[in-house]
Amino acid sequence: MLDRGLRLPTVLGVLAVAGVLSWGFGRWWISGGHSPLRVGWFTGVLLLGMAAVVVVTGRRMWRMRHGRAHVGPIVAERILRLAQASAITGAVVAGLYLGQALALAPDIGYAGRGELALAWSVAGLGAIALLAAGMVVQWWCRVDDDDDDESESPTLS
């Protein structure tokens, strides 16, 4: 993905764009006389579980940074890519789900749409947890610059 890492403004921008597009589509869909789109309550729980898996996987990097374990370079790169993919996925999905919740907000008292908006919100919060887990694990994967590497430059003879 990115060698420099994902920045928080980038991830929040993705979340905002996805949220605005989802809200616009949701309002258009509902104003056209269609029933609102549905999401299950289990969706938020599933996303929380995915966030937990990312954190548990990334914990190996945290332990390595604190001198408690060794992680090979290939494994470290895979953990970093998992973290970055989780952050982007969490941002897109959170934007989609929270946008749908906002689209239902004006009609919250009509035909059970309040409960549906709550289900969309819970799913959106689960996606935000996935986003946060990805960003934290990416931070754990950060490699500090060693001063020793610069002083030991190789010489050709």
Side-chain angles (χ1 to χ4, degrees), residues 18-84:
V20 167
L21 291 174
S22 177
W23 171 79
F25 173 78
R27 286 310 307 158
W28 171 78
W29 185 259
I30 292 169
S31 68
H34 299 88
S35 325
L37 301 174
R38 302 201 175 275
V39 68
W41 287 100
F42 188 66
T43 305
V45 175
L46 179 65
L47 287 165
L48 283 174
M50 291 169 63
V53 167
V54 171
V55 169
V56 167
T57 303
R59 190 168 182 270
R60 295 175 67 184
M61 297 304 296
W62 181 86
R63 291 178 57 210
M64 184 185 82
R65 288 183 55 85
H66 290 86
R68 298 181 187 163
H70 174 72
V71 178
I74 298 295
V75 174
E77 182 177 359
R78 288 179 180 165
I79 291 172
L80 174 64
R81 300 308 180 207
L82 171 68
Q84 290 176 342

Side-chain angles (χ1 to χ4, degrees), residues 108-122:
I108 210 159
Y110 177 71
R113 291 185 180 179
E115 182 179 334
L116 188 54
L118 184 61
W120 281 107
S121 298
V122 168

Side-chain angles (χ1 to χ4, degrees), residues 1-15:
M1 276 204 171
L2 301 172
D3 292 330
R4 290 184 342 205
L6 288 173
R7 305 278 188 237
L8 189 59
T10 303
V11 175
L12 293 177
V14 169
L15 188 146

